[in-house]
Amino acid sequence: MTDAPPTSPPAPGPGPAAPGTSASRLLLALAIGMAALLAVVLAVLPVSATRAAAGFVPVGNDSFYHSRRILDTAAEPGSFYQFDARVDPPRGELITWPWAYDYAMARITRAALASGLAASADAALAYIAPLASAIAVLLAAWIAAQLGLGAAGIVAAAALTALYPRNVLAYAVGMTDHHFAEHLMVLATLAIGLAWLRAPARRDLAVALGVVLGLAVGVHSALSILQLPLLGALGLVWLRGTETPRTVRWTAAALLATTLAIALPSLPLREGRFDLAYLSWFQPWLALGSSALLWSWSSGPATARRIGIAAAIAVVIAAPTVAQLLLAREFLSGAMASIGTISETQSWITLLDRGGWSSLINQYSVLVLLYPFVALGALLGLWRDTQPALRYFWAFALFGAVLLPLQLRLHYFGSVLLYLVPLLLLARAAHSRSLAPTWPLAGFGAVAVALMIMPAVAIATTRKPLGMDPYYQATQPVFPTLAAACRARPGLVLSLANDGHYVRYHTECSVIANNFLLTPAQQSRAREGDRLMSLSVDEVLRERTDLRYVYVRTESLFYISPTGYVTVPQGMEQDPDRPLVKALLADDAPARYPQLTLLSELRLDYRNLPYARVFEVNATGAARTQ
């Protein structure tokens, strides 16, 4: 971009307003490449969370379940499953996560092994997310280019995407949870949508947008929500008299076709389910509605008759979804009782209440202080700007601004906008004063990078517990023993719900519950697990004659403060352990309960107290020698 001020209001350009000389373009490409490399390096640095003596372990509780399904499929693609018979047998569980993400990750892992790029499947899988962080940086740079922010804005967007704290964690080595892929889908949707609306005659971009929107539901079933900014922007454009590009019909067709292609292999759909929690008929139904609306808007101006048709389409599509959308609202608002203790569902209000502003800034960077300007700018821009591309950007910004404060896990909807919106507003302010925007954008980028670089490096380099869970790191040595027992004598394991994924990952045994808490059935299993942990040993064995193993560990070994720091409570005064855990961790438990055989235990070095034990239930009810 040249230093001469623009002669018209700032708007997305037809492409990167790149410097005129080849040397300048090369410098810009080099700067973007360095930002991408920075993102990968930061993502690779937290290796302490994933590198164990026997290889790589997943990072994050849900990653353990993803990894189990991915590694099973990588070893034998034909073994891919969408129903897990080893959760709450004999009923089993229909897996809520869409099939496409885990299956694609398995294929990538298998390809990395076949090509010799990785020595083991767990190593190949561990490094997919860090490498994908470079794609996120490139997408952010493309978005900035479509906004006409010039070289300074493009480099700033790329660097801040690399340094953003939630991105460093989402793309960290060993992270196999689907959050990084959701972030990529958000960025791709925004980037391709802007590129198409800047050149609305291009059918290829129109098709690409529909394809990405359809693929998104294969990553997470709720990503149908990404259709809302497009509908909001084009609907407003249409109602205010601007012609809707006829190529939107290609977007509509591609959206519906891709959604069907992704959804048809889904087991919940084949079972006839219509449920937001699963990749079911719910997603194709919404895609049909979105496609019908987009098609109707491209038919001509917003006459009373056409407005009536569009309203009728919206009512018909919305009618059967009301119950599911109310459930989604309950989840997003945090009102669902089962999600209250999950860290990734904490809202800004909860973070502020527990840790103050420092907690919020640690999670979202200092840029979170610009949130009021982002939200207000998005609202005003959506109303005032008339260009479809800008309307789409502002609709996306408002959409992200609404979701961002609701839950930590929703950061990927709005995080990139915490710096793109200020960059665009600065560019427009410079233009209104007949100034070149290069220096204001470069200044904002330099200050933001300076404020974020040290926190990002600290996040990446601070030693983290294995699996990003201090309890997992402390108890991980018991799993080889349990795994060996399960190979010899598979059966049902009673454990805390938070350990369910760990048991499934390491062993061939089944579990009663895990920390899946989205559906009523999942919540019921978690309550059943809690109830069993509150009974005596005799009561548990009398009620659950199907148990083969019992795995207990203390819940008071560590204390995690509201700001996330892990400490060891003095004397273990905090004692939230359930009655069954207390009973089986007592020193005399192996002698007191002849119905159980102690297979493995872990003890505190400094007090010689047991804090984790694995028992096998005796078939005869009599004690067996070890």
Side-chain angles (χ1 to χ4, degrees):
M1 184 172 183
T2 64
D3 287 340
T7 57
S8 59
T21 67
S22 58
S24 298
R25 289 194 293 271
L26 180 60
L27 286 175
L28 177 60
L30 181 61
I32 296 172
M34 292 297 291
L37 179 60
L38 174 63
V40 174
V41 170
L42 290 173
V44 167
L45 284 176
V47 72
S48 64
T50 186
R51 196 71 169 93
F56 291 84
V57 300
V59 172
N61 197 291
D62 285 354
S63 287
F64 279 81
Y65 193 88
H66 276 292
S67 293
R68 181 61 200 253
R69 187 157 71 147
I70 292 167
L71 292 174
D72 285 348
T73 306
E76 178 50 59
S79 69
F80 183 78
Y81 50 91
Q82 299 185 59
F83 181 86
D84 193 343
R86 291 180 179 169
V87 175
D88 193 28
R91 288 172 292 187
E93 175 181 57
L94 188 63
I95 299 172
T96 52
W97 288 327
W99 67 273
Y101 169 75
D102 284 346
Y103 191 79
M105 292 284 280
R107 281 297 188 178
I108 295 170
T109 300
R110 190 175 176 88
L113 278 174
S115 63
L117 293 175
S120 63
D122 57 337
L125 182 56
Y127 283 98
I128 293 176
L131 293 175
S133 66
I135 301 175
V137 169
L138 296 178
L139 287 171
W142 188 20
I143 294 168
Q146 296 304 318
L147 291 173
L149 296 180
I154 292 169
V155 173
L160 294 173
T161 300
L163 294 171
Y164 190 73
R166 298 300 305 176
N167 291 349
V168 174
L169 293 172
Y171 290 90
V173 59
M175 186 67 73
T176 60
D177 203 349
H178 50 215
H179 295 319
F180 80 89
E182 292 176 273
H183 184 237
L184 291 177
M185 287 296 170
V186 170
L187 295 179
T189 301
L190 178 54
I192 297 172
L194 284 173
W196 166 58
L197 289 171
R198 284 301 303 149
R202 290 188 58 176
R203 292 179 180 177
D204 57 338
L205 290 174
V207 170
L209 178 59
V211 168
V212 168
L213 287 171
L215 289 175
V217 300
V219 174
H220 194 290
S221 58
L223 284 184
S224 294
I225 198 173
L226 285 176
Q227 298 162 34
L228 288 180
L230 181 65
L231 293 174
L234 292 186
L236 187 57
V237 165
W238 181 67
L239 287 172
R240 298 189 70 173
T242 304
E243 184 179 355
T244 304
R246 290 184 67 81
T247 50
V248 77
R249 296 183 176 187
W250 291 91
T251 302
L255 166 61
L256 184 57
T258 307
T259 303
L260 282 171
I262 291 295
L264 286 175
S266 177
L267 182 57
L269 180 142
R270 299 202 305 271
E271 290 186 348
R273 290 178 180 256
F274 187 86
D275 192 332
L276 173 62
Y278 299 92
L279 181 52
S280 62
W281 285 107
F282 184 87
Q283 289 76 24
W285 179 253
L286 290 185
L288 175 64
S290 296
S291 299
L293 285 173
L294 293 173
W295 195 282
S296 71
W297 294 341
S298 69
S299 300
T303 62
R305 177 175 174 274
R306 289 194 178 101
I307 292 174
I309 291 173
I313 292 172
V315 170
V316 168
I317 293 297
T321 69
V322 171
Q324 296 297 315
L325 294 178
L326 289 175
L327 179 64
R329 182 183 65 83
E330 186 180 359
F331 177 83
L332 290 173
S333 67
M336 188 180 291
S338 61
I339 67 170
T341 59
I342 302 176
S343 60
E344 68 179 29
T345 65
Q346 303 307 298
S347 68
W348 284 11
I349 293 175
T350 304
L351 289 172
L352 287 170
D353 182 58
R354 293 181 177 179
W357 281 99
S358 63
S359 176
L360 197 62
I361 291 172
N362 286 341
Q363 295 287 351
Y364 293 91
S365 85
V366 70
L367 293 175
V368 74
L369 301 177
L370 299 178
Y371 174 80
F373 301 99
V374 171
L376 182 60
L379 187 61
L380 294 177
L382 182 61
W383 181 253
R384 291 176 177 175
D385 280 312
T386 58
Q387 294 186 29
L390 276 176
R391 276 253 168 84
Y392 179 59
F393 175 75
W394 292 125
F396 218 105
L398 187 61
F399 165 76
V402 170
L403 294 180
L404 193 61
L406 298 182
Q407 292 183 11
L408 268 174
R409 77 177 308 277
L410 301 179
H411 75 91
Y412 40 77
F413 287 111
S415 59
V416 70
L417 301 163
L418 289 176
Y419 40 94
L420 284 178
V421 169
L423 286 169
L424 183 56
L425 293 178
L426 278 173
R428 305 188 83 168
H431 165 72
S432 68
R433 291 165 175 77
S434 300
L435 300 172
T438 301
W439 291 111
L441 298 186
F444 174 86
V447 171
V449 166
L451 291 172
M452 291 174 62
I453 185 99
M454 293 307 296
V457 171
I459 290 171
T461 58
T462 301
R463 185 169 183 82
K464 297 172 178 60
L466 196 62
M468 206 71 80
D469 181 353
Y471 281 105
Y472 174 73
Q473 177 169 302
T475 58
Q476 193 253 358
V478 306
F479 289 111
T481 300
L482 180 58
C486 288
R487 281 193 299 271
R489 298 173 297 281
L492 180 63
V493 179
L494 172 60
S495 68
L496 295 169
N498 278 342
D499 295 324
H501 288 335
Y502 302 148
V503 174
R504 282 287 289 114
Y505 177 77
H506 283 287
T507 79
E508 299 299 323
C509 276
S510 305
V511 295
I512 292 174
N514 48 40
N515 68 348
F516 290 164
L517 298 172
L518 187 59
T519 67
Q522 290 169 347
Q523 296 169 35
S524 175
R525 285 195 294 272
R527 287 193 296 270
E528 171 65 4
D530 285 342
R531 187 187 71 83
L532 291 173
M533 287 290 179
S534 299
L535 300 179
S536 68
V537 173
D538 291 335
E539 288 172 328
V540 168
L541 297 179
R542 187 164 54 247
E543 285 195 25
R544 297 300 300 251
T545 57
D546 54 342
L547 285 181
R548 183 70 187 184
Y549 303 99
V550 180
Y551 165 48
V552 292
R553 52 95 172 165
T554 182
E555 296 179 84
S556 57
L557 185 60
F558 302 101
Y559 169 67
I560 303 178
S561 72
T563 54
Y565 292 101
V566 178
T567 61
V568 179
Q570 293 298 317
M572 298 177 66
E573 291 86 1
Q574 300 197 40
D575 191 8
D577 291 336
R578 326 292 172 90
L580 184 70
V581 176
K582 290 180 181 179
L584 291 181
L585 289 182
D587 265 334
D588 60 348
R592 184 187 300 177
Y593 302 109
Q595 314 97 311
L596 303 173
T597 297
L598 179 64
L599 299 181
S600 179
E601 70 173 13
L602 299 172
R603 288 177 175 264
L604 293 171
D605 292 337
Y606 66 97
R607 296 184 65 184
N608 198 34
L609 293 175
Y611 65 86
R613 278 175 170 166
V614 175
F615 292 89
E616 183 173 3
V617 179
N618 298 333
T620 63
R624 291 187 291 189
T625 58
Q626 298 181 47

